[in-house]
Amino acid sequence: LVHCCFFLFINLFVCWLQYGNFVDNLRLYVRGGSGGMGVPRLGGHGGDGGDVWLVSRKGVTLRQIKNRHPDKRFTGGVGADSSVQALKGEKGKDCEVFVPPGISVTTDEGKVIAVLNALGDRVCVAKGGRGGSLHSGFLPSKGQIRQIRLDLKLIADMGLVGFPNAGKSTLLTALSHAQTRIASYPFTTVRPEIGMVMYDDHKQVSVADLPGLIEGAHMNKGLGHKFLKHVERIRQLLIVVDVCGFQLADSTPLRSAFQTLHLLIRELRLYNKELLRKHVVLIINKMDLPDADEKLHEFLHQLENHHDFSHLLPDDATPEHFLKFQHIVPVSASTGVGIPLLKRLLRTSLEEQDAMATENQREDKLQELRRLQSTSVKPRMDGSFLE
């Protein structure tokens, strides 16, 4: 038991060290440039100070920003003073900080300043000071100073969610040929990975492999919040369960696939219950293991008759409403069994979601038109109009 605990501790420590290479939050000091001096005797205006902008760009990481700017300080240029040669001073140079898409910009107090999702999105995070003018006695003002936080949340079509060693990394490799680190012990995935599932008609679906959760992740055990936050911007969840269940260590109980599934759902629900409003596909992995067919049959029977088996779950893992899955797909990521079907269903599930969203938009527009029509201009008996 001591040897097992020591081995688990070493793996957790190594994963923590490696996860440190992946930066998903950063605190920056930003300051707008000061304005330039005005000239009272000529009525000259000093130039305004430069602003500090965040700009979303492809291929940028927070790790690069941290490495290239160890002090994490960004300042706009100072506005030019007014002079005889140029009564209106030139504006100070703007400072542009390139960030990856998927960034939330917040204050230290947690107030959201902006969200940069698309490439090219930009936001001014520190305004430059005003140049000296008649209204300020020709004295310039200093630029805005802020401490801001950049919080990266991955954007992907689908995200693989599961306990450690459920085979998520192997599954991502089978789906997209992504080069992920794979081993036979828990906590293989130590940072989020994104792979692209390619189709014959050149359609692409992005799938994120999120590091394995542990029980208590919603309370930030392990690196819970660092992992769970990446689920928030993913369109659909792919919950991956080992058909034979899950056991973190010899000292912890062996959970059946049915128990494992609902413990996973509990972690998602307790972190943010809105996550369970997303479309969910259940993937039952490791169908190549001995007795997998028998365990699959038992698992599916428990899912179909979940109320009869709720006594198998801990009290805090018994949901008020059992989750409905868009699809349930048994696969073997290591042998490839079921992978072609899964690829088709992933695309189908996204297309169904898009069609549903389009239909909801159409219904909303129809209701808006009906509302406008009911309040439109109506003729009076005398030929005038009543609004």
Side-chain angles (χ1 to χ4, degrees):
L1 178 60
V2 173
H3 176 75
C4 179
C5 290
F6 177 75
F7 177 75
L8 181 60
F9 172 78
I10 292 297
N11 278 324
L12 279 168
F13 181 69
V14 170
C15 290
W16 181 82
L17 288 176
Q18 294 193 17
Y19 187 79
N21 292 325
F22 177 76
V23 178
D24 56 6
N25 61 82
L26 208 57
R27 188 170 184 260
L28 304 181
Y29 170 91
V30 292
R31 187 184 73 201
S34 298
M37 289 290 295
V39 179
R41 63 188 179 85
L42 298 176
H45 288 212
D48 292 339
D51 306 322
V52 180
W53 291 80
L54 300 183
V55 183
S56 176
R57 173 179 281 189
K58 185 177 181 180
V60 179
T61 67
L62 294 185
R63 164 62 63 181
Q64 291 172 347
I65 298 174
K66 185 176 181 181
N67 290 343
R68 293 172 184 171
H69 306 276
D71 58 354
K72 293 172 284 186
R73 297 171 69 92
F74 298 90
T75 307
V78 176
D81 294 339
S82 175
S83 65
V84 175
Q85 291 79 14
L87 289 180
K88 173 63 178 173
E90 189 175 340
K91 185 179 186 297
K93 185 178 180 181
D94 289 344
C95 173
E96 290 190 336
V97 184
F98 296 108
V99 299
I103 286 289
S104 290
V105 187
T106 64
T107 63
D108 276 343
E109 294 74 32
K111 181 181 178 182
V112 177
I113 299 172
V115 178
L116 308 181
N117 281 335
L119 294 175
D121 283 355
R122 55 193 291 126
V123 61
C124 178
V125 290
K127 291 285 293 180
R130 301 298 298 272
S133 65
L134 177 64
H135 301 291
S136 63
F138 298 96
L139 296 175
S141 62
K142 294 183 178 180
Q144 183 181 18
I145 298 176
R146 261 179 167 174
Q147 302 277 0
I148 62 171
R149 293 183 180 273
L150 308 184
D151 191 34
L152 173 66
K153 296 179 183 178
L154 294 180
I155 301 174
D157 293 317
M158 296 184 156
L160 297 166
V161 179
F163 283 133
N165 220 25
K168 302 187 305 298
S169 297
T170 308
L171 184 59
L172 182 66
T173 301
L175 286 169
S176 66
H177 305 295
Q179 297 300 311
T180 58
R181 179 171 169 268
I182 300 168
S184 59
Y185 52 81
F187 304 100
T188 298
T189 303
V190 294
R191 63 181 184 183
E193 302 277 358
I194 294 184
M196 301 301 296
V197 183
M198 309 292 294
Y199 294 88
D200 292 338
D201 61 354
H202 306 293
K203 168 77 174 179
Q204 298 182 19
V205 172
S206 56
V207 179
D209 175 18
L210 306 177
L213 302 177
I214 62 171
E215 291 185 48
H218 69 279
M219 297 184 293
N220 210 20
K221 287 186 179 179
L223 294 172
H225 287 181
K226 277 185 173 289
F227 298 162
L228 281 168
K229 73 173 187 178
H230 291 294
V231 181
E232 295 181 20
R233 290 191 188 171
I234 287 169
R235 293 179 61 194
Q236 296 193 11
L237 301 180
L238 304 179
I239 293 183
V240 185
V241 175
D242 185 335
V243 70
C244 294
F246 170 67
Q247 185 176 23
L248 181 63
D250 291 341
S251 59
T252 59
L254 173 64
R255 307 289 193 181
S256 68
F258 182 71
Q259 293 170 322
T260 300
L261 171 64
H262 286 93
L263 288 170
L264 273 171
I265 293 172
R266 178 189 67 176
E267 295 302 326
L268 295 172
R269 172 170 50 83
L270 293 177
Y271 174 72
N272 182 354
K273 63 183 179 181
E274 293 299 314
L275 296 178
L276 298 180
R277 294 181 179 273
K278 296 178 183 288
H279 289 225
V280 181
V281 176
L282 174 60
I283 302 173
I284 307 171
N285 195 19
K286 302 192 179 181
M287 288 302 300
D288 54 302
L289 295 179
D291 303 323
D293 289 334
E294 180 182 338
K295 292 182 181 295
L296 174 65
H297 179 75
E298 178 186 4
F299 186 24
L300 294 178
H301 177 67
Q302 290 171 331
L303 288 176
E304 290 174 4
N305 305 277
H306 43 73
H307 290 292
D308 297 335
F309 294 94
S310 58
H311 66 279
L312 299 175
L313 306 174
D315 292 339
D316 59 348
T318 305
E320 295 180 7
H321 306 286
F322 283 85
L323 198 61
K324 284 190 175 182
F325 302 103
Q326 299 298 115
H327 303 281
I328 299 177
V329 194
V331 303
S332 169
S334 60
T335 65
V337 172
I339 296 299
L341 173 62
L342 177 60
K343 289 179 69 173
R344 291 197 299 272
L345 289 179
L346 295 186
R347 179 169 178 172
T348 299
S349 184
L350 286 172
E351 289 173 347
E352 289 171 349
Q353 182 179 359
D354 290 339
M356 188 181 300
T358 301
E359 180 62 23
N360 289 339
Q361 289 177 358
R362 191 182 72 85
E363 286 295 328
D364 290 343
K365 288 181 179 179
L366 282 175
Q367 289 181 7
E368 179 65 16
L369 286 172
R370 292 190 186 105
R371 186 187 66 80
L372 292 173
Q373 194 173 29
S374 65
T375 58
S376 61
V377 177
K378 297 179 181 179
R380 291 177 182 262
M381 293 296 293
D382 60 3
S384 62
F385 290 89
L386 175 67
E387 294 188 0

